[in-house]
Amino acid sequence: KHRRPCVGGASMADVPAGSHELSASQQQQVDDKKVQLRLSNEKYLRSKPEVRALTAAFMHKVLEEKPDNVLVFAHQFFTQDGLADVARHK
């Protein structure tokens, strides 16, 4: 079921039944929030180089080993002893 985002303090009760479109103002608020979120996420990731190192190391190992079950592989990778060293060496 598709849910419309509620913006600016509006609740679903404020949206007319059967209405599937946001007003121009609501759409602008959604778009602005998306931009703010992307900028905030990018700023955070740039401040944490270990995130890039961990994801790069994980992707390298996935492509190197090509596991059949990536979820199990991810669990093993991210719970391994010495994971902090992996982040420091990339």
Side-chain angles (χ1 to χ4, degrees):
K1 184 175 179 178
H2 178 70
R3 291 193 61 184
R4 293 176 306 281
C6 294
V7 186
S11 71
M12 288 306 289
D14 298 327
V15 178
S19 175
H20 295 288
E21 294 185 23
L22 297 174
S23 69
S25 173
Q26 289 172 321
Q27 187 61 55
Q28 185 62 51
Q29 287 178 320
V30 169
D31 293 343
D32 290 347
K33 284 286 189 185
K34 286 180 183 178
V35 169
Q36 290 171 359
L37 181 59
R38 286 184 186 132
L39 290 172
S40 174
N41 288 346
E42 184 173 336
K43 182 178 177 181
Y44 174 79
L45 290 173
R46 286 177 186 252
S47 74
K48 304 291 183 191
E50 62 273 22
V51 173
R52 182 181 303 250
L54 285 169
T55 55
F58 174 70
M59 290 302 297
H60 175 79
K61 289 300 263 183
V62 166
L63 295 173
E64 181 180 86
E65 297 189 22
K66 296 178 178 46
D68 289 330
N69 190 326
V70 177
L71 292 177
V72 170
F73 184 83
H75 172 75
Q76 292 168 344
F77 180 85
F78 286 107
T79 59
Q80 69 178 294
D81 290 336
L83 187 60
D85 294 333
V86 171
R88 285 189 209 105
H89 288 99
K90 283 286 176 187

